[in-house]
Amino acid sequence: MKLGFLMIIFTLAEGGQLSGAFVNTATLEECEQRAAVVRGILEQGDMPIEQMVCRASEAEFEPFVHGMEAYTEPQSYIVSFDDARATVEKAASCDGAAPAPGSWCVTSMQKFASEAQ
């Protein structure tokens, strides 16, 4: 995988579970510009943002599409990031998951690009 930038968005879903959305970009500047637009949209709605960051990452995701829940199964991921880089690993489930400090277990309708059909 090549290193690019990943916009990571965590919102609070029903039941207190974190929901994750991911957007791949080529540069940090592009990621930050897109994040500003997405933040504005989410803040106008009823979606509390728990985390929203842009970090270097090798993780590549299929594009986010509204309404994905109608045709795909939720995925679980352990997401970790520091001030510069992020890692995303597939998890069996977030039920009872206790990730290490600085890590979050999130559910997402997106799949890794390599798993998308």
Side-chain angles (χ1 to χ4, degrees), residues 20-84:
F22 307 95
V23 178
N24 291 97
T25 63
T27 66
L28 179 59
E29 293 76 23
E30 178 188 0
C31 187
E32 290 174 341
Q33 289 171 353
R34 293 180 74 175
V37 172
V38 170
R39 181 178 297 280
I41 292 167
L42 291 176
E43 288 177 346
Q44 289 178 7
D46 192 21
M47 283 266 193
I49 301 169
E50 294 294 313
Q51 293 278 347
M52 179 181 257
V53 298
C54 289
R55 297 292 187 266
S57 181
E58 293 180 349
E60 291 184 56
F61 284 87
E62 66 180 339
F64 177 83
V65 177
H66 289 283
M68 293 176 87
E69 59 277 356
Y71 60 89
T72 189
E73 291 292 318
Q75 307 294 306
S76 297
Y77 299 103
I78 301 294
V79 182
S80 304
F81 56 83
D82 58 22
D83 290 340

